[in-house]
Amino acid sequence: MFANLKLEEIAPNPDQPRKFFDEAKHEELKGSIKENGLLQPVVVRPIEGAETPYMLIAGERRWRACKALEMASVPAMVIENADDERAYVLSIAENVNRDDMTIMEEAGAYADLKAAGWEPAAIAKRFGKTETHITWRLGLLTLRPEVSEMVDKGLIKNNLAWHIAQLNWNNQMVAASRYVRGDFDSEADAQHFANGLKMMEKQTSLTGEEPPTAEEQEKRKKAKAKAKDGLGKAEEILLPLLEDLAAKKPEDLAVVLGDDLVRHVRVVGKLYSQVQMVRNLLSKAQGIQRAMQAEFNKAAVEVQQEAAKEKADRGAAKPQVEVKPEGEAAAGTKPATKKAASKPAAPRAKSGGTAKSPARKAPAQRKVEPAGVAAKKPEAAAAK
């Protein structure tokens, strides 16, 4: 049934699938309602026992605009006996095809229905979408928040977003940031790069864990030489021919080529088809190569960080290991220093001109007493 309801009698739906409301479009809608009135009623359901008797099912933008214009009441369609799930489905149906509903909001709405037991095929049928569309939208929910924000802002289109969503969180940021800063010539090149990163995550043979054999190296060398030679011939013969044809007018070609025109159309058509296919193939190869380089750079940084950490750990441990031996060495040299200082005493006594017998007896006494000192000399040397 339809009724005119006071604005304060209507509460917004806390489970509204759309969270973002464009301010410019809000102002535009306000102007339209002010000029023409509210042409489409809001949709509500009664809530028993609630402080606000009605809750919005559809038309929150209209309700917001009317509230901003300080209108007293709005026309509303009241749906009786609408449980939470039905109300949510109606809310999605009202929003899902609108331009101002973001991709991530749409994906979140489908995810809520799936959590309630809806299959992707049933969701697709209910909202007039293909099952692939629903599956791809659901696949976006694995995006990290920063990348999701880029998608919502339109910096990353939905097809590329899906390819990025297949990566781990670190590689998602690598692919997204490189695309946003303009590292790729096209969205397709960015997709091929993301697919290459996915191959690296799966640790396919592309990582080249084992070095190629001599035979494989020779095959690669010949294949590279052949490709280079073929490309050279194309640049030397084919490109000038195409440039020459492109420089002429259609009416001139009709006369110049004569009966051979049909053959030119057929051959150039084949060339175009092959060039498109090879261009796509080369773009995929370039994406893989870039991914391999990114993986290599990441591994190189990790190795450098590990080496720096090991060096820092050794530097922190080295003083504790070396201080003790140095202290022991210093302690071991003290007896040797005292002994070395006592040796010159004998020559001074000998050169003093006094009785020779006491001078000879002193060395004899030293030979007996320092036996223990002599035993310590190798230790002192080892300590040194």
Side-chain angles (χ1 to χ4, degrees):
M1 70 175 187
F2 289 90
N4 277 328
L5 301 177
K6 295 180 181 179
L7 283 172
E8 59 265 25
E9 293 180 320
I10 303 173
N13 183 1
D15 296 325
Q16 159 73 262
R18 186 171 58 187
K19 306 301 179 185
F20 173 75
F21 295 89
D22 186 86
E23 186 62 31
K25 291 185 177 181
H26 173 70
E27 292 298 323
E28 183 181 333
L29 181 59
K30 278 173 56 181
S32 175
I33 294 174
K34 185 177 181 180
E35 184 69 24
N36 306 303
L38 185 60
L39 301 178
Q40 183 179 359
V42 298
V43 182
V44 300
R45 60 171 174 148
I47 305 295
E48 294 183 5
E51 183 178 348
T52 307
Y54 296 95
M55 180 178 290
L56 277 168
I57 292 178
E60 184 168 339
R61 286 180 66 244
R62 281 165 272 156
W63 176 80
R64 285 170 176 256
C66 292
K67 190 174 182 181
L69 291 169
E70 298 182 349
M71 294 174 59
S73 62
V74 292
M77 182 173 71
V78 181
I79 298 180
E80 302 285 349
N81 302 320
D83 59 13
D84 291 344
E85 183 174 329
R86 187 187 176 200
Y88 190 69
V89 170
L90 291 172
S91 180
I92 296 173
E94 202 264 344
N95 286 297
V96 75
N97 290 315
R98 293 182 180 273
D99 292 337
D100 53 355
M101 187 178 193
T102 69
I103 296 172
M104 298 309 300
E105 287 174 345
E106 183 185 355
Y110 295 150
D112 289 341
L113 290 178
K114 187 178 179 183
W118 288 57
E119 294 295 330
I123 299 173
K125 184 178 180 180
R126 179 65 178 81
F127 300 108
K129 305 292 183 180
T130 65
E131 189 174 349
T132 300
H133 177 92
I134 303 299
T135 303
W136 276 54
R137 287 294 187 272
L138 292 172
L140 297 178
L141 296 176
T142 58
L143 287 171
R144 59 187 293 164
E146 302 93 330
V147 181
S148 295
E149 187 176 353
M150 295 179 191
V151 176
D152 268 345
K153 289 180 178 179
L155 300 176
I156 299 175
K157 295 181 180 179
N158 55 354
N159 286 340
L160 175 58
W162 185 87
H163 286 276
I164 294 176
Q166 310 311 304
L167 304 173
N168 63 41
W169 273 32
N170 288 336
N171 282 336
Q172 282 184 20
M173 205 65 205
V174 171
S177 59
R178 288 193 60 174
Y179 176 74
V180 170
R181 75 187 184 194
D183 285 359
F184 306 104
D185 294 334
S186 66
E187 184 180 348
D189 288 347
Q191 288 180 13
H192 296 327
F193 175 70
N195 292 338
L197 288 177
K198 188 62 180 178
M199 290 181 182
M200 298 301 101
E201 290 179 5
K202 291 181 178 179
Q203 297 181 352
T204 65
S205 59
L206 293 171
T207 54
E209 295 177 357
E210 295 182 359
T213 62
E215 183 179 355
E216 290 173 341
Q217 288 180 347
E218 185 63 24
K219 286 182 179 180
R220 291 182 186 180
K221 185 177 179 181
K222 289 181 179 180
K224 185 175 181 180
K226 183 178 179 181
K228 185 176 181 181
D229 183 58
L231 194 62
K233 289 179 179 178
E235 289 179 329
E236 182 181 349
I237 300 172
L238 187 58
L239 285 179
L241 172 63
L242 295 175
E243 289 171 355
D244 182 61
L245 291 173
K248 290 181 171 58
K249 297 178 180 180
E251 54 268 29
D252 294 334
L253 290 173
V255 175
V256 172
L257 297 179
D259 296 339
D260 207 31
L261 179 58
V262 175
R263 179 169 172 261
H264 274 73
V265 172
R266 185 177 68 254
V267 172
V268 171
K270 287 183 178 180
L271 285 173
Y272 177 77
S273 177
Q274 290 295 317
V275 166
Q276 289 290 94
M277 183 179 68
V278 173
R279 172 67 180 85
N280 186 53
L281 185 65
L282 291 175
S283 179
K284 290 180 180 179
Q286 189 177 44
I288 293 171
Q289 188 181 68
R290 286 170 169 170
M292 292 173 69
Q293 185 63 45
E295 189 71 14
F296 175 82
N297 291 340
K298 184 173 71 173
V301 170
E302 290 174 355
V303 169
Q304 291 175 355
Q305 290 174 343
E306 288 177 4
K309 185 177 181 300
E310 289 178 3
K311 185 177 180 181
D313 291 343
R314 286 197 303 268
K318 188 175 181 181
Q320 297 176 357
V321 174
E322 293 184 355
V323 166
K324 188 175 180 180
E326 287 177 0
E328 291 176 355
T333 55
K334 286 180 181 180
T337 305
K338 291 180 180 180
K339 183 65 180 175
S342 64
K343 285 183 179 179
R348 281 198 297 268
K350 188 176 181 180
S351 60
T354 57
K356 292 182 180 180
S357 56
R360 289 177 181 175
K361 287 180 180 179
Q365 291 174 358
R366 288 193 186 100
K367 285 182 181 179
V368 175
E369 283 183 28
V373 177
K376 292 181 180 180
K377 286 183 180 179
E379 296 176 1
K384 289 180 181 181

